[in-house]
């Protein structure tokens, strides 16, 4: 039809544009459906199951399961271990990221690779490393034992294994951030007379605080949920060295499903709380986060 | 405060970024470090600041050896190329930072700090913006905050690395004038880095021209422009033409003829002739440079002509008033440099060769 009246600039391009949008609309719908389906099938369904199983026999049973002395001590132990491991990794992570991002030194690339080691090594092997280091047949173990220091099958071993496994979270989050920010802010602070500590406290820390917070939250989630490495060094002493994930396994193996799922639900709840906290902070301080990312 | 840089050498790894650099900066002076990219301007500035330490050499602040002092102890004001404002602090907090971090015995009262910061913001014409964050400012405003922040500590010397590098031409021009005014009012000894020669010549009391990690020339803008000491400076500052010429019995020959310029005391041999496009006069007949006009363009009040002096020679550029140039388009022109300079030394242009003859108005002997 356009042939008769010659090219009309307004009508001619309308068809391809329409086709293009309808195509993107279809693609968009497919992608959204796919993403939602995946999230539903692999995330929400299992998580929902955990809570349904936990409350299968009612809230009373649920609370009773958590009140069990062994379970209760597992909860306390998990909080203790995370409470020690996370602050340690906060300090280590900041120090490592600082060294890598702000200084030039030999072996920097090697150090960067080393930081990733806990991610690339299976957690079971991480645990075994500590057994080899501090076990009865090792060089260190008997010496420490003679001074009455118990590493393996005790809280120190659990903390060491957890620190090892969760080490990369804070450093990994901070290194790219600090590298991107460069050293000029610190140089500016020093040129204005600030001491090293003042520079860190007033300039570096505020610049990295959001990255640091994410790193700490992720580190914490993993510290509370770690199974493999902790399982190797724990020795599974009931009421003493079982953390929550280990306690879940024990209860499950004893066919005590309600109790197993109750602990699992609590663990999941802690993880969810972490996520909610992160999102809430992001919403609350979105302006500031955007500003700190900008130049 | 007076700053003296003595025989400074700086290596990064094995690579020498600065070689045997010495420079005296007088108290209250506004000095520009000018040079092409990679010539070591930033490195020299950072060495003065104490952000880098020299491989060899010393730096004096007044009579004190500052080389051993840390950047904190030197009490300098440094303005970074990309400002490096603290993004989580307001403008006021940025400006007060240097005073706030002082040890208690040297720190003014909070009210006094605030008053001084507000005064400085007024000086840099940012009154009323003290509660903003750096992200809420324009580039030019950030630049001025950075300057106010550096001045707040009452520095011995103010160091600026390409202060206007990231701004557009219009804002640059304004800030340039404004920086000069601020300098005249506050009297800080100031060193700034630039690779914009116009900026350096217009703004500075003295210009330091650098090339390949060394200082080529130090002088007033007039000195630098009118009496460049080396081919590098001649070529780098302003426009210039260079021609390969030969000296024979005190006369300058281009290709197979004398061009009517004399350098009487010079021995025979090859040399390089430098002259600026506007330092020429049109002449009739021979005993001069002559060629075909290949292109012409109007630049503000004058006309620039590109002249081909021969197939084996690069074209030279000359500048004429438009009314004289109109008749010469696509025709032959004959001209002679009125101010020129001769350099010798086997084409070693960048190194700064022996200067054979001081420049001046050399009139050709008549009837050659
Ligand atoms: N931290 C560094 N490590 C290694 N080499 C460096 C370092 N800083 C500068 N250089 C080298 O020193 C030389 C001089 O650098 P500098 O930054 O002083 O140049 P510049 O004159 O400021 O150049 P520009 O105009 O591009 O900023 C360059 O060749 C550069 O590669
Ligand atoms: Mg530079």
């Amino acid at each position: 039809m356009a042939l008769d009246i010659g090219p009309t600039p307004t009508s001619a391009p309308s068809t391809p544009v329409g086709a293009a949008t309808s195509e993107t609309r279809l693609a968009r719908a497919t992608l959204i459906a796919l993403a939602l389906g995946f999230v539903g099938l692999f995330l929400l369904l299992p998580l929902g199951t955990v809570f349904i199983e936990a409350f299968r026999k009612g809230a009373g049973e649920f609370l009773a399961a958590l009140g069990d002395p062994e379970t209760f001590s597992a909860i306390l132990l998990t909080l203790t271990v995370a409470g020690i491991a996370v602050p340690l990794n906060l300090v280590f992570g900041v120090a490592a990221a600082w060294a890598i991002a702000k200084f030039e030194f030999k072996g920097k690339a090697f150090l960067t690779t080393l930081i990733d080691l806990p991610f690339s090594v299976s957690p079971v092997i991480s645990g075994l490393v500590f057994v080899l280091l501090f076990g009865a047949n090792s060089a260190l173990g008997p010496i420490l034992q003679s001074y009455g220091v118990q590493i393996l099958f005790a809280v120190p071993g659990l903390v060491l294994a957890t620190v090892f496994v969760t080490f990369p979270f804070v450093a990994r989050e901070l290194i790219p951030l600090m590298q991107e920010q460069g050293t000029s802010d610190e140089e500016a602070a020093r040129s204005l007379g600030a001491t090293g500590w003042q520079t860190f406290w007033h300039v570096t820390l505020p610049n990295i605080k959001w990255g640091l917070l994410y790193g700490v939250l992720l580190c914490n989630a993993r510290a509370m949920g770690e199974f493999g490495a902790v399982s190797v060094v724990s020795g599974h002493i009931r009421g003493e060295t079982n953390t929550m994930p280990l306690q879940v396994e024990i209860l499950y193996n004893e066919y005590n499903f309600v109790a197993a799922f109750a602990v699992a639900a609590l663990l999941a709840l802690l993880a969810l709380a972490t996520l909610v906290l992160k999102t809430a902070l992001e919403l609350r301080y979105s302006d500031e986060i955007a500003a700190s990312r900008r130049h | 405060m007076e700053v003296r840089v003595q025989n400074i050498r700086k290596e990064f790894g094995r690579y020498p970024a600065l070689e045997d650099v010495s420079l005296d900066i007088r108290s209250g002076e506004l000095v520009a470090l000018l040079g092409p990219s990679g010539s070591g301007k930033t490195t020299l500035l950072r060495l003065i600041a104490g952000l880098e330490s020299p491989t060899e050499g010393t730096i004096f602040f007044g009579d004190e050896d500052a080389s051993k002092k840390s950047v904190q102890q030197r009490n300098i004001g440094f303005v970074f190329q990309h400002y490096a404002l603290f993004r989580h602090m307001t403008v006021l907090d940025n400006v007060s930072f240097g005073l706030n971090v002082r040890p208690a015995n040297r720190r003014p009262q909070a009210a006094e700090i605030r008053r001084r910061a507000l005064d400085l913001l007024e000086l840099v014409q940012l009154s009323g913006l003290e509660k903003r964050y750096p992200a809420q400012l324009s580039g030019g405003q950030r630049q001025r905050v950075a300057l106010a922040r550096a001045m707040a500590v009452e520095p011995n010397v103010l160091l600026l690395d390409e202060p206007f590098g990231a701004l557009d031409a219009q804002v640059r021009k304004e800030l340039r004038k404004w920086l000069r005014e601020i300098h005249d009012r506050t009297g800080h000894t100031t060193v700034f880095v630039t690779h914009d020669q116009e900026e350096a010549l217009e703004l500075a009391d003295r210009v330091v021209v650098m090339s390949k990690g060394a200082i080529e020339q130090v002088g007033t803008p007039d000195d630098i422009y009118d009496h460049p000491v080396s081919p590098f400076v001649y070529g780098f500052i302003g426009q210039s033409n260079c021609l390969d010429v030969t000296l024979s019995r005190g006369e300058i020959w281009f290709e197979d003829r004398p061009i009517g310029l004399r350098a009487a005391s010079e021995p025979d041999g090859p040399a390089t002739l430098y002259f600026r496009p506007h330092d020429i006069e049109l002449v009739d007949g021979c005993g001069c440079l002559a060629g075909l006009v290949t292109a012409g363009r109007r630049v503000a009040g004058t006309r620039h002509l590109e002249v081909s002096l021969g197939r084996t020679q690069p074209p030279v550029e000359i500048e004429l008033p438009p009314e004289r140039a109109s008749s010469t388009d696509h025709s032959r022109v004959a001209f002679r440099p009125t101010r020129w300079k001769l350099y010798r030394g086997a084409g070693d242009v960048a190194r700064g060769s022996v200067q054979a003859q001081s420049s001046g108005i050399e009139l050709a002997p008549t009837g050659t």
Side-chain angles (χ1 to χ4, degrees):
Chain A
M1 356 106 228
L3 285 174
D4 300 334
I5 50 172
T8 46
T10 45
S11 70
S14 75
T15 334
V17 166
T21 45
S22 75
E23 210 173 289
T24 52
R25 207 176 294 154
L26 185 70
R28 193 171 62 183
T30 317
L31 283 176
I32 291 175
L34 210 64
L36 283 181
F38 236 78
V39 168
L41 195 64
F42 289 99
L43 293 179
L44 292 182
L45 196 64
L47 204 60
T49 317
V50 169
F51 285 97
I52 291 167
E53 286 295 327
F55 287 97
R56 182 172 292 272
K57 297 197 178 141
E61 281 281 316
F62 174 81
L63 288 177
L66 292 184
D68 174 77
E70 278 179 19
T71 302
F72 190 70
S73 93
I75 296 170
L76 272 188
L77 183 61
T78 290
L79 293 179
T80 311
V81 169
I84 301 172
V86 172
L88 281 180
N89 270 339
L90 172 75
V91 176
F92 293 162
V94 171
W98 181 289
I100 285 173
K102 313 254 165 174
F103 297 117
E104 293 297 330
F105 55 92
K106 286 208 180 88
K108 183 163 141 169
F110 184 62
L111 182 63
T112 316
T113 318
L114 223 56
I115 285 177
D116 280 337
L117 192 70
F119 275 178
S120 46
V121 166
S122 158
V124 177
I125 296 172
S126 310
L128 276 174
V129 168
F130 289 101
V131 172
L132 289 176
L133 267 178
F134 299 110
N137 299 325
S138 71
L140 277 176
I143 299 174
L144 289 172
Q145 194 96 51
S146 68
Y147 288 104
V149 180
Q150 178 78 21
I151 303 279
L152 281 187
F153 317 133
V155 175
L158 295 172
V159 170
L160 280 177
T162 308
V163 165
F164 182 87
V165 171
T166 60
F167 179 74
F169 284 101
V170 174
R172 270 281 133 218
E173 193 73 36
L174 291 186
I175 289 169
L177 187 66
M178 286 175 126
Q179 270 170 344
E180 187 201 307
Q181 289 176 349
T183 52
S184 59
D185 279 20
E186 280 79 12
E187 285 184 339
R190 286 197 299 135
S191 78
L192 292 165
T195 61
W197 177 248
Q198 285 173 324
T199 303
F200 176 74
W201 194 250
H202 295 299
V203 175
T204 309
L205 200 58
N207 278 349
I208 60 167
K209 64 181 173 196
W210 295 109
L212 191 62
L213 185 72
Y214 294 163
V216 165
L217 288 176
L218 289 173
C219 181
N220 183 53
R222 179 68 190 268
M224 293 196 296
E226 174 55 25
F227 181 86
V230 165
S231 170
V232 177
V233 296
S234 121
H236 303 274
I237 306 168
R238 288 178 161 249
E240 277 185 38
T241 63
N242 280 332
T243 60
M244 283 169 81
L246 301 182
Q247 184 70 7
V248 171
E249 193 204 19
I250 288 173
L251 292 170
Y252 187 84
N253 286 344
E254 290 171 348
Y255 304 106
N256 191 349
F257 293 130
V258 169
F261 280 108
V263 181
L266 190 64
L267 203 52
L269 212 62
L270 286 174
L272 284 177
T274 307
L275 276 182
V276 169
L277 182 67
K278 172 175 174 267
T279 314
L281 285 171
E282 261 175 309
L283 284 178
R284 169 77 177 72
Y285 293 103
S286 56
D287 290 350
E288 206 180 308
I289 293 172
S292 75
R293 295 256 155 98
R294 236 176 290 152
H295 186 70
Chain B
M1 181 174 286
E2 192 186 16
V3 177
R4 281 180 297 142
V5 176
Q6 290 186 341
N7 307 100
I8 283 283
R9 176 181 171 78
K10 174 67 184 173
E11 288 175 5
F12 291 108
R14 283 274 191 73
Y15 177 84
L18 286 180
E19 276 178 298
D20 196 25
V21 166
S22 298
L23 176 67
D24 281 2
I25 298 162
R26 293 191 274 268
S27 190
E29 212 177 11
L30 181 55
V31 168
L33 302 182
L34 175 66
S37 188
S39 54
K41 308 181 292 291
T42 301
T43 307
L44 180 54
L45 200 72
R46 290 172 60 88
L47 280 165
I48 296 174
L51 291 168
E52 308 277 1
S53 54
T55 313
E56 266 171 48
T58 35
I59 293 171
F60 285 94
F61 279 23
D63 293 327
E64 261 183 293
D65 183 356
S67 320
K68 308 265 172 341
K69 289 186 173 178
S70 69
V71 54
Q72 285 101 334
Q73 294 164 331
R74 289 193 197 188
N75 192 35
I76 47 102
F78 202 105
V79 176
F80 291 80
Q81 192 170 1
H82 297 284
Y83 321 133
L85 295 179
F86 307 130
R87 64 202 91 182
H88 57 275
M89 289 185 202
T90 62
V91 166
L92 187 71
D93 288 342
N94 264 283
V95 177
S96 330
F97 184 86
L99 296 174
N100 278 326
V101 295
R102 281 192 183 169
N105 58 352
R106 291 201 299 121
R107 184 171 51 222
Q109 304 268 302
E112 168 69 8
I113 291 179
R114 187 183 157 81
R115 191 189 61 74
R116 270 160 72 173
L118 287 174
D119 279 356
L120 275 167
L121 285 174
E122 196 183 311
L123 181 72
V124 301
Q125 297 162 0
L126 286 178
S127 295
L129 297 186
E130 64 268 11
K131 293 209 185 71
R132 298 248 188 115
Y133 284 90
Q136 299 165 322
L137 298 177
S138 74
Q141 289 169 333
R142 281 180 215 172
Q143 173 61 57
R144 285 182 273 162
V145 175
L147 189 67
R149 184 179 70 175
M151 289 195 297
V153 295
E154 286 164 355
N156 290 326
V157 50
L158 200 53
L159 305 164
L160 304 97
D161 192 358
E162 307 223 3
F164 314 124
L167 304 169
D168 67 56
Q170 188 63 34
V171 183
R172 279 175 91 110
K173 280 230 169 76
E174 273 167 32
L175 282 183
R176 204 187 283 172
K177 217 191 287 162
W178 167 87
L179 180 66
R180 182 74 231 188
E181 282 169 23
I182 297 245
H183 175 264
D184 292 345
R185 274 169 68 183
T186 59
H188 285 301
T189 308
T190 307
V191 183
F192 73 99
V193 164
T194 179
H195 56 236
D196 180 345
Q197 45 168 300
E198 199 184 313
E199 198 164 286
L201 295 177
E202 189 180 319
L203 193 51
D205 294 326
R206 284 198 304 156
V207 179
V208 178
V209 184
M210 299 185 64
S211 161
K212 295 186 180 163
I215 292 181
E216 288 277 333
Q217 185 172 3
V218 183
T220 63
D222 289 343
D223 270 348
I224 297 278
Y225 193 86
D226 294 331
H227 307 289
V229 296
S230 70
F232 172 80
V233 180
Y234 213 120
F236 185 68
I237 307 285
Q239 277 187 304
S240 65
N241 295 302
C242 85
L243 284 179
D244 290 332
V245 295
T246 324
L247 274 159
S248 173
R249 274 177 279 123
E251 273 199 278
I252 298 175
W253 288 56
F254 175 68
E255 293 195 323
D256 54 355
R257 59 185 182 278
I259 54 174
L261 303 177
R262 297 190 59 83
S265 57
E266 279 305 305
D268 292 357
T272 316
L273 178 76
Y274 280 81
F275 62 94
R276 300 208 186 273
H278 53 80
D279 287 334
I280 59 115
E281 57 176 358
L282 290 182
V283 291
D284 297 321
C286 52
C288 58
L289 289 165
L292 218 52
V293 177
T294 52
R297 61 200 160 85
R298 178 70 184 249
V299 179
T302 60
R303 201 157 174 83
H304 287 222
L305 302 178
E306 213 170 82
V307 180
S308 163
L309 296 176
R311 237 171 284 140
T312 57
Q313 295 289 336
V316 297
E317 189 158 305
I318 61 171
E319 208 176 307
L320 290 174
E323 63 279 5
R324 304 227 24 207
S326 56
S327 57
T328 59
D329 271 7
H330 300 286
S331 60
R332 278 184 77 78
V333 283
F335 63 93
R336 186 181 292 147
T338 51
R339 290 160 69 91
W340 48 273
K341 226 169 154 152
L342 208 56
Y343 294 99
R344 307 196 79 165
D348 190 0
V349 169
R351 274 280 156 159
S353 51
V354 186
Q355 183 192 324
Q357 158 102 41
S358 66
S359 68
I361 298 166
E362 298 266 323
L363 292 175
T366 45
T368 314

